[in-house]
Amino acid sequence: MDSNFKREIILDNYQDPMNRGLIEDDSYLKVNTNSESCIDNLDFMMKIEDVFVKDIRFDGEACAISTSATSIMIRKLIGKSVDEVRKILKNYRNMINEEEFDSELLGELNVYDEISKQPNRKNCALLPSVAVEKMLEELK
């Protein structure tokens, strides 16, 4: 993927992120995540029905990488089964950590495939996956 195209996707998702804004609904799993290396402090909520992700929402203050990664991840995960979500998250984490991953599975999340060149930004890119993993832990 061309680096200018990657920047465009990141900027679009930072300026107009998907599902920003929390709602009052006790049927959602909820978690807060923050970064030690950045301003990132986001609240997440996720609704799961019949093992499928029906909705994910977020709000808070975050850098361009965290906000855009959250927006892209939300789009990727809504409608997926919990097992599919776990597989996507594992591949995403592997990509960020420069390990073997399935790029086809990740789709637009591949815009972060070179984030490891900026080690201080890895936590920013991982923040939404950490939040989703924490919420999935609540299912056990």
Side-chain angles (χ1 to χ4, degrees):
M1 190 181 298
D2 170 79
S3 63
N4 287 328
F5 186 54
K6 287 179 185 181
R7 272 192 290 274
E8 186 179 317
I9 291 170
I10 290 169
L11 189 58
D12 286 349
N13 281 279
Y14 172 64
Q15 292 175 334
D16 189 23
M18 182 172 180
N19 287 10
R20 182 169 215 147
L22 304 178
I23 59 173
E24 291 293 323
D25 188 329
D26 291 336
S27 66
Y28 281 71
L29 301 167
K30 297 174 180 95
V31 70
N32 172 271
T33 57
N34 54 52
S35 174
E36 297 171 9
S37 64
C38 197
I39 63 166
D40 304 335
N41 185 4
L42 295 174
D43 292 310
F44 287 82
M45 53 193 311
M46 179 169 64
K47 184 172 189 136
I48 296 176
E49 290 178 354
D50 302 321
V51 306
F52 288 96
V53 174
K54 295 297 182 183
D55 192 24
I56 304 174
R57 307 199 59 80
F58 80 103
D59 208 358
E61 186 175 10
C63 69
I65 298 298
S66 287
T67 301
S68 61
T70 298
S71 178
I72 295 167
M73 187 166 288
I74 285 171
R75 190 177 314 102
K76 183 70 178 171
L77 300 182
I78 290 177
K80 301 288 191 289
S81 72
V82 169
D83 287 342
E84 289 172 310
V85 168
R86 286 189 171 111
K87 186 174 181 181
I88 291 166
L89 295 177
K90 181 179 188 298
N91 276 273
Y92 181 71
R93 183 173 295 279
N94 285 355
M95 178 186 68
I96 298 297
N97 290 318
E98 299 180 278
E99 297 170 7
E100 190 175 320
F101 69 98
D102 180 351
S103 64
E104 283 190 38
L105 181 66
L106 296 180
E108 272 194 337
L109 288 168
N110 283 296
V111 298
Y112 304 105
D113 66 352
E114 295 181 352
I115 202 80
S116 61
K117 292 179 180 178
Q118 301 173 24
N120 59 327
R121 305 302 290 193
K122 285 172 64 171
N123 287 335
C124 302
L126 285 170
L127 196 69
S129 64
V130 168
V132 172
E133 287 168 351
K134 283 183 182 179
M135 289 184 284
L136 291 178
E137 283 297 314
E138 291 181 33
L139 295 176
K140 292 182 178 179

